[in-house]
Amino acid sequence: MILAMALSVATAWAQQRSAPKKNKVPQAFETVFERSNGLESPTYLEMMDYYRKLVDAYPAVLKLVEVGPADAYYPLHLVLVSPEGSLDADQWAAEGKMPVLINNGIHPGEPDGIDASMMLVRDVAQGHVKLPANVVLAVVPCFNIGGMLQRSPYHRVDQDGPREFGARGNSQNLDLNRDFMKADAAETRSLIRAIEWVNPLVLIDNHVSNGADYQHVMTLLSTQPEKLGGAMGDLLRHQLEPEVYRRMNEMGFPMVPYVNHWGTTPEKGWDAYLEGPRYLSGYGAVRNIYSFVPETHMLKPYAQRVESTYQFIVTMMKYMDANSNRIIEMKSQAEQQWKYQEYYWMNFELDTTVRETFKFKGYEAVIEPALVGNGERLRYDRDSP
C-alpha cells in the first residue's frame, strides 16, 4: 500500500514536469535541460562547450570573455550579448546602452538561472527573443565553478530537480554570497572587476528558495529602496517593482516578496530581508545598481522554476526598454547625490511601523503529532490552498 501511494505521488509530480515550449531550435543548440524534458542540468564542461559553440555560430551577437581567475581550476567567464552595437563593454556607455548583469550559480545547487540563461542567450542570438536596441547583457554562466564541479543528487535533498546539481560552497568551501566585502575567493575578486568593467544598470542574481511551502513558483528579493536612496529608491518602490510584479502575474507567475519568516507561518507576516553588502545584491546597491534576487521555490518542478526565471529576465528587459530615459536619469541623479554627500548610512534597522499587505497564495498550516518522538510538527496541506 505504501509503495503504491509513493508511485502514485511520483507519477503525479512527473506529469507536472514539462520543459518550456520554446521555438524549434537545431539539435546542436538544444540544451541538456530541453533534451531531458526539463529534468536535467548540464555539467560545467557541458555548459561551457555549449556557450563556445553558440559564440562560434553567432560571433556578431555573442562574445565569450575570460574576466579573471577562480579558486577552481577554470577561470571566470562572461558572455556578452549585443545584437546591435559593440561587443566590447568599454563602448557600451558611449553607445547609450543599458547593461544587465545576470549572475548564475553563486549557489550551484540552485541551477535554475544556468539553464534559463543558456536558452535565453541562444534565443536572442537566433532572433526568437528581441533584445531591446538599448539593452545589452553580460551573463555569468556559473560564478561558483568549484561548487558546480561537485555534482550530486543529494546537496538539497528536498528540491524537486534537477537530477544532479552542484554544491553550495566553492573550492575553499566558502559561501560566495557572503563574500563581497571580504572578497576571500578569487572568483569574487574577478566578478568585482567585471562589475566595474560592465557598469550594469540592473543586476539579476538567480537563486532557489527553501523553507515554507506555498503556491508561488517565484518570490522576489529586491534591494531595499532606502539603500539606493533618493530618486533611485523612489523609482524602485513606486514604479519598477509594481510593474515587474504586474507583468510576471500576466505571464502566469504571480510573485510575492521573498518569504523571510522564522518560527511561525507566512500568513502572519515577515520582515523584509536586509541583504547587506556582503551579498552580491547588497554590494550592487552600494554601487547604485538596481539589484534583484529571483528566488524560485525548491518544491516546485524544475521546469516551472527555469521557465519563471527565463520570463523574469525577459520581463525586466521589457521594462527597461519602456522606461530607459527615466532609469538612466535616476541613476545619474543618485551618483551625483552620493558623490557630494557628507554622510553614508550603513547601520539600517527594521522599521516595524511600516507594513505592506499583499495577496499571498499559500497552503493551510497544520500542526500535528510528529511521527518520531512526542513533539509536534508543522505541515503545509497542499489539499487546502
Side-chain angles (χ1 to χ4, degrees):
M1 177 65 73
I2 294 176
L3 177 60
M5 289 174 62
L7 289 173
S8 176
V9 171
T11 301
W13 276 110
Q15 289 173 348
Q16 295 183 51
R17 291 182 169 119
S18 58
K21 292 179 174 59
K22 301 293 178 193
N23 296 285
K24 182 68 175 177
V25 296
Q27 188 173 3
F29 295 119
E30 274 193 319
T31 65
V32 169
F33 171 81
E34 290 167 313
R35 289 199 302 270
S36 66
N37 198 33
L39 297 178
E40 297 180 7
S41 191
T43 66
Y44 175 76
L45 294 179
E46 287 172 332
M47 175 190 71
M48 292 306 300
D49 182 61
Y50 181 86
Y51 276 117
R52 289 189 178 97
K53 288 178 179 177
L54 268 182
V55 170
D56 288 345
Y58 302 98
V61 180
L62 308 177
K63 185 176 182 181
L64 185 64
V65 181
E66 183 179 317
V67 294
D71 283 338
Y73 173 79
Y74 302 98
L76 189 68
H77 285 85
L78 281 180
V79 180
L80 305 183
V81 185
S82 179
E84 300 180 30
S86 175
L87 282 167
D88 184 351
D90 289 320
Q91 304 299 319
W92 285 350
E95 294 176 357
K97 301 293 188 181
M98 296 188 293
V100 179
L101 179 65
I102 302 171
N103 187 59
N104 299 307
I106 198 169
H107 296 147
E110 309 169 16
D112 305 24
I114 292 173
D115 285 300
S117 293
M118 290 171 69
M119 293 187 296
L120 179 63
V121 169
R122 176 203 64 206
D123 291 348
V124 170
Q126 295 181 339
H128 300 312
V129 170
K130 176 67 175 176
L131 193 67
N134 54 359
V135 174
V136 286
L137 304 180
V139 178
V140 181
C142 179
F143 176 44
N144 184 352
I145 299 168
M148 189 173 182
L149 293 170
Q150 300 179 58
R151 285 170 68 86
S152 169
Y154 307 117
H155 290 311
R156 291 165 66 90
V157 293
D158 291 330
Q159 186 167 284
D160 190 11
R163 286 172 175 156
E164 287 190 339
F165 37 81
R168 187 177 182 90
N170 83 331
S171 297
Q172 295 191 66
N173 202 30
L174 296 172
D175 186 338
L176 296 184
N177 206 29
R178 310 292 188 273
D179 195 42
F180 281 85
M181 282 288 94
K182 54 190 179 67
D184 285 336
E187 53 264 51
T188 303
R189 298 189 291 273
S190 294
L191 184 55
I192 288 172
R193 287 193 293 271
I195 290 172
E196 293 173 348
W197 179 48
V198 172
N199 191 24
L201 191 61
V202 169
L203 166 66
I204 299 173
D205 185 25
N206 291 311
H207 281 253
V208 180
S209 182
N210 55 16
D213 197 5
Y214 40 79
Q215 300 175 55
H216 300 275
V217 176
M218 176 178 283
T219 65
L220 180 64
L221 194 161
S222 306
T223 200
Q224 281 74 35
E226 292 81 4
K227 288 194 300 182
L228 292 174
M232 279 190 79
D234 288 342
L235 178 67
L236 175 62
R237 170 172 280 136
H238 300 298
Q239 297 181 42
L240 201 165
E241 267 196 320
E243 182 64 13
V244 169
Y245 273 75
R246 184 188 68 79
R247 289 175 184 246
M248 284 295 286
N249 186 61
E250 290 179 351
M251 295 302 301
F253 294 107
M255 299 188 303
V256 291
Y258 173 67
V259 179
N260 178 47
H261 78 97
W262 301 94
T264 182
T265 53
E267 67 267 24
K268 296 179 182 178
W270 60 83
D271 301 340
Y273 192 86
L274 178 63
E275 25 76 284
R278 65 176 181 159
Y279 301 93
L280 175 55
S281 56
Y283 178 78
V286 170
R287 303 192 72 123
N288 291 320
I289 302 170
Y290 290 104
S291 300
F292 301 91
V293 182
E295 292 261 6
T296 59
H297 189 219
M298 68 184 296
L299 299 180
K300 299 298 183 291
Y302 187 54
Q304 292 181 18
R305 290 165 22 214
V306 171
E307 176 68 7
S308 67
T309 303
Y310 184 108
Q311 295 300 339
F312 180 84
I313 300 170
V314 172
T315 293
M316 186 61 65
M317 292 190 307
K318 289 179 178 178
Y319 177 86
M320 294 175 70
D321 183 38
N323 300 273
S324 57
N325 292 337
R326 185 158 180 77
I327 294 174
I328 294 172
E329 178 188 354
M330 295 303 98
K331 179 167 183 176
S332 177
Q333 288 183 21
E335 289 176 341
Q336 291 301 312
Q337 169 194 339
W338 291 112
K339 186 182 297 185
Y340 299 107
Q341 195 153 304
E342 187 174 357
Y343 297 100
Y344 299 88
W345 296 279
M346 302 291 183
N347 54 336
F348 289 95
E349 295 180 358
L350 182 69
D351 184 355
T352 58
T353 67
V354 179
R355 309 232 174 130
E356 181 181 357
T357 302
F358 51 87
K359 290 183 178 180
F360 174 70
K361 296 178 180 290
Y363 297 110
E364 289 291 336
V366 178
I367 303 296
E368 60 188 15
L371 298 177
V372 178
N374 298 319
E376 296 179 324
R377 68 181 290 261
L378 168 64
R379 176 175 64 87
Y380 293 97
D381 185 0
R382 289 191 169 184
D383 292 329
S384 302

